[in-house]
Structure formats: structure tokens, C-alpha cells
Amino acid sequence: MNAVAPQGLVVNTGPTPLVLGDRPLEPADVAAVARGRPAVLGEAARHRMRTSREVLERALARGDLIYGVSTGVGAIKTAPIGADGQALFQTLLLRAHSVGHGDPAPAEFVRAAMLVRAAGLAVGVAGVRPELADALCRALDSAVSPHVHQFGSIGQADLSQMAEIGLALTGYGEHGAPLAGDGYRPIALEPREAHAIVNSNAFSVGIACLALERTVRSLRALDVSAAVPLEALVANVDALHPAVVAVRAYPGAVATVQRLRALLADGALLRGERRPRAMQDPLAFKVVPQTHGAVRDALAHCAAQLRVELASSGDSPIMVPDEDRAICAGNHDITPIAIALDYSRLALAQAVTIANERVQKLLDGRFTGLATGLRADPLAPHDSLGVVGHGAASLAAEARLLAQPVTLEQPTSGLAEGIEDRITMAPTGARRLYEMAGLANRLAAVELTCAAQAVDLRATTGELGAGTRTAYRATRRAVPFVAAGEAPRPDLDALECWLASDELP
């Protein structure tokens, strides 16, 4: 956004703020704010929040029993809270729920959580003042983020992480000191507002949005790393014929075939100028459309679920203005997102598994017709790239371990005297998808390293397709050819960075 200074100079005042409440958020909005875009509360949302606040205040004035407002929470839900105890209750609720463990969460995770919580409040049914959403937006303007622990939530509202964010918003102790030191003005909470902060899955949903974006990028990287080996192996590209997906038209498979054909376009293999080495290739080469397509379909489902969640309120209680009362409900249950995250990880594990298998096949002379280990001198005793396969197998194994479903994990019913007998482990699922995507991207870099070596050994660089040629050149900028008598000297970090960038074909 630009402004005009008195002298007529145009001054860049930073990115345009995201206005909350004017339209539903997209996962990409969450990622943008997590990386520094500011956010403000829109006027329509401000009006809705004031209306719901008035409903709450009338209910309190009537003496209505409202969970978490005029009563305690969890196992002490029957304990009343009088007007004179409200201020202390807000503070103690946050402090009591600040039970996190482990390393600090990355700043991006914390910023994403703050935005998601502000967006949920902007729906306008939580019964809190607009000032609470404003406080979250002001905290997002800060150069520092609240200190939040990674662990502590069981996915039935991210109580511990959101409590730490709430303590920072109120300026409490070591939680609030960094924000206050950066110029943030703490907020004094009123009835319902501490509970509204903690009773939210914003931490899980925020990470899920970041994980979705990272996974979409890693799948595009795996598309590229799968396309170059098709040419390196001199594979049978009939598997990419449009007729294949025309007769079995899963949306993700159709999109994958289109993408792979675009990467191979203008190359000798796709044009039919180079005959495939075999009629039947290993499945890891043959079923890329079906496997990557399944990942695309899973990620599309995850994105759809997140869009619903980002447009929603997960609060309980909620205000019903037409009936002028507050009601309790179960919208804090995050099962739809938790299951979508499990689904996405299971799907991504399939793509990671076949990527590793392609690496092993490229290193095996029985499949390539080249020297085992892609040695430049077939008679040399040196490994060349042979041991690279071990690292690839390790990456794939780590990814598959992260893919295990977390939604089946159940505790005893002893939490909160048996009241909280349901969990989803959604934050674990989101964090694991984020980590898996990073492993997938690294594995794509390993696969390209092997594929580029095979292409050079065949001396077919001039036959590469439009997209695969770009990928080959990017690989060679970071990973030199391994000549006879040399050891690999790859800069996989640089190649991995390129694979995660917008430069990818």
C-alpha cells in the first residue's frame, strides 16, 4: 500500500492489510500473514461482534448460567463466577491452561494461530468485544511473537498454546514482556474473553494452512523429480497418454498427466523420437499419475475443509441474537480437519515411497543399462552415487513414520473428571504434515541428483523436454557431475531451496 507524502513523494507503507470479516479467509491468506502481512478487523465484523457482545451482557444481567462465563470450565463447570470474580477468573484461566511443553513453536506457527483466532472471532458469535480481535491484529504488527510451546494440545481446542498467546496479549509476565517491549499495548480482558482465547483450535488450523501450502509445493517438486527420471531411464511414456486418465478420470490424476506432459513437452521421449528401453517399467515410474493424483485429491479435500473452518466459529458458547441467549455446542471439535490431515499424510507417503524407489532403480544397472551407482567408469571400484540411495531410503522411512494416523489415538476418559473424553490430536497431525513436506522436498532433490547423472551418462541433455531441461540446469548449478575417481559434491540445500521456490516449471 502506498501513501503520498507532503512533498508529493510516494512512500511505500508496506503490504495491504488483510481485512478480517469482509470475506472468508483462504489458507493462502493465513500463510501470507504468518510471513508478515498485517491484518485489521473490518467494520462489518466489528458490528457483528458488538451485537453478539450485547447478547452476552444482557444474559449476564439476567443471571443466565453460561459455561465459561458465569461458571467455571471443564470439571468445575458447576462452580459459579460472580461479577466481582470475573477479572481474576480471566487471568487465572489463562495461567492455569498454560501447560505447554517442548521447544518453542516457530514464529510462523504462532502468527498463523493469532490470525485464525482473530478471524474466528470476526464471525461475530463469540460474545467478545471487537477490542479482543483488535488486540490480536496489533500483536501481529509486532516484530516479535509470543513464546508458545509446541506440545500441550490434544486437539480438542488448543488450550495450552492459546493460553500462552492470551497471556502475551494481556502483558502478563515473561509472556507479555517481548510484545510490550516492542510497543504493543496489553488488553484487559472482560467476561468470556479469556475462555474465548483458549477455547479455539487456531493453533492446529494455522499450522494446517502452512502445512498445506508446503505440501502443495513439495508435490510439484516431486512432479519435477519424477519427470526427469522418465527421460533418464528412457521410460515408456504411454503411461502418460491422455487416454489413460480419460477412461479413469480422477481429478488429481488428470492434473498430474497434464503437468508431466508439460514438463516433458518438446523432448525426444514424449515426441516419440527415442524409443523406450522397455515396454513395462517399474511401477514407481509407471504409476506416477495415479499416485501423485491421489495426493492432489487428498490435498484438495484438506483445502476444502480448511476453507470451511476459516469461515467458521468454533466457539462454545455462541450467541444467538434472534433468541437473545447463549448456547453451548461442540463446534470446538476439530475432527474434520484432523481426519483431512491424516488423509493428506497417508497420500503424501505414497508419493514419497515411489520417489525413493525411483532413486534405487536409477542406481541399479539392471534397470538403467548404466553402471551401478551411476559410475562414470563402469570398471572403477568407487561408489560414485551408490550410497546416495541409503539417504533416500532414510528420508522415505522418516516420512512414512510421520504419516501414521493420529486421530485414532485416544486417552482414558479421565480428563476433566471424564467430561473431556474425546481428542483428535489435530496439532500433531498438522505439524507432521509440515515436516513430511520438508522431507519430500529433500527427497526430490536427491532424485534429481541421480537423474541428472544418468542423463549425462547417456549424453541426452539435448533431448530433454522444456520443463525437464530447466530442472536439469537447476540441478547442475547445485550438483556437479560425478566424474570417474570423484566423490559426490552436491549442494542439496541450494537445490532444495529451488524446488520450494516459485521458479519451478
Side-chain angles (χ1 to χ4, degrees):
M1 183 170 64
N2 294 328
V4 179
Q7 295 84 2
L9 298 176
V10 176
V11 179
N12 185 1
T13 58
T16 303
L18 177 69
V19 179
L20 299 179
D22 284 4
R23 63 167 176 82
L25 289 189
E26 290 284 330
D29 295 323
V30 178
V33 173
R35 294 182 186 125
R37 184 180 181 185
V40 296
L41 185 66
E43 289 305 313
R46 195 176 298 279
H47 174 74
R48 291 192 298 269
M49 293 183 71
R50 288 196 183 109
T51 299
S52 77
R53 183 66 185 182
E54 291 166 0
V55 172
L56 180 75
E57 290 176 348
R58 287 193 295 270
L60 280 173
R62 290 193 302 264
D64 293 358
L65 283 178
I66 308 171
Y67 177 80
V69 182
S70 57
T71 74
V73 298
I76 52 174
K77 62 186 183 302
T78 58
I81 305 171
D84 58 350
Q86 283 289 351
L88 180 61
F89 180 74
Q90 306 308 309
T91 298
L92 292 183
L93 182 71
L94 294 177
R95 291 172 63 183
H97 283 76
S98 179
V99 293
H101 303 279
D103 294 330
E108 282 190 358
F109 288 9
V110 179
R111 288 181 59 84
M114 291 194 294
L115 176 72
V116 172
R117 179 67 296 217
L121 297 177
V123 173
V125 297
V128 301
R129 298 168 298 149
E131 285 83 354
L132 182 54
D134 286 334
L136 286 160
C137 291
R138 286 190 286 106
L140 286 169
D141 285 337
S142 176
V144 297
S145 295
H147 182 281
V148 174
H149 289 91
Q150 288 270 39
F151 307 135
S153 169
I154 56 174
Q156 198 69 16
D158 299 321
L159 302 174
S160 66
Q161 288 93 351
M162 298 311 296
E164 290 179 305
I165 289 173
L167 290 171
L169 294 179
T170 58
Y172 178 80
E174 62 181 12
H175 293 279
L179 280 179
D182 197 54
Y184 166 83
R185 302 186 312 280
I187 183 174
L189 300 181
E190 295 191 1
R192 168 82 245 272
E193 292 181 337
H195 186 238
I197 292 171
V198 302
N199 192 39
S200 164
N201 294 289
F203 189 69
S204 299
V205 175
I207 300 173
C209 291
L210 295 172
L212 175 66
E213 183 202 49
R214 197 181 198 199
T215 307
V216 168
R217 288 182 179 273
S218 73
L219 181 59
R220 288 180 58 80
L222 288 171
D223 289 337
V224 171
S225 75
V228 181
L230 290 172
E231 292 175 316
L233 190 76
V234 194
N236 188 340
V237 290
D238 280 351
L240 307 181
H241 196 288
V244 173
V245 288
V247 298
R248 193 167 180 254
Y250 286 104
V254 172
T256 303
V257 164
Q258 292 171 346
R259 175 148 166 73
L260 292 175
R261 289 182 68 88
L263 290 167
L264 296 169
D266 298 326
L269 192 63
L270 193 63
R271 288 200 306 259
E273 296 171 3
R274 177 173 281 270
R275 292 177 59 83
R277 295 187 66 254
M279 182 179 70
Q280 292 283 352
D281 297 314
L283 292 180
F285 293 82
K286 186 177 180 180
V287 301
V288 174
Q290 292 74 21
T291 305
H292 288 202
V295 185
R296 282 188 160 82
D297 290 340
L299 296 180
H301 173 72
C302 188
Q305 299 297 80
L306 283 170
R307 289 188 184 100
V308 172
E309 193 66 31
L310 291 172
S312 305
S313 167
D315 287 282
S316 179
I318 62 171
M319 307 304 119
V320 185
D322 291 346
E323 300 178 14
D324 198 38
R325 70 188 184 106
I327 62 173
C328 289
N331 276 347
H332 51 78
D333 185 274
I334 197 69
T335 299
I337 299 299
I339 290 176
L341 290 166
D342 273 359
Y343 177 23
S344 297
R345 293 197 318 282
L346 287 169
L348 181 59
Q350 302 298 314
V352 166
T353 295
I354 65 169
N356 170 58
E357 289 303 317
R358 289 191 301 271
V359 170
Q360 308 308 326
K361 299 302 188 294
L362 287 171
L363 295 171
D364 190 332
R366 293 173 300 171
F367 295 97
T368 63
L370 302 170
T372 293
L374 297 172
R375 291 167 295 157
D377 178 1
L379 301 178
H382 313 297
D383 286 314
S384 190
L385 290 175
V387 187
V388 167
H390 292 57
S394 173
L395 289 169
E398 292 283 348
R400 282 193 298 273
L401 289 171
L402 290 172
Q404 303 303 312
V406 300
T407 51
L408 299 179
E409 172 61 29
Q410 292 290 339
T412 69
S413 60
L415 291 172
E417 293 187 350
I419 297 298
E420 297 172 10
D421 56 357
R422 166 89 178 104
I423 69 171
T424 68
M425 298 307 295
T428 302
R431 188 180 66 252
R432 287 185 178 181
L433 179 61
Y434 188 90
E435 293 172 9
M436 272 188 76
L439 293 171
N441 204 56
R442 184 74 173 190
L443 183 55
V446 175
E447 184 175 11
L448 281 177
T449 297
C450 296
Q453 181 82 0
V455 167
D456 282 338
L457 291 176
R458 291 198 196 281
T460 55
T461 55
E463 298 181 8
L464 296 176
T468 52
R469 188 182 309 116
T470 298
Y472 168 84
R473 289 171 177 168
T475 303
R476 279 291 170 251
R477 286 196 297 270
V479 181
F481 175 75
V482 183
E486 293 183 346
R489 294 173 289 117
D491 184 356
L492 288 185
D493 290 346
L495 183 54
E496 188 180 2
C497 185
W498 178 79
L499 284 166
S501 74
D502 293 331
E503 298 176 18
L504 210 63

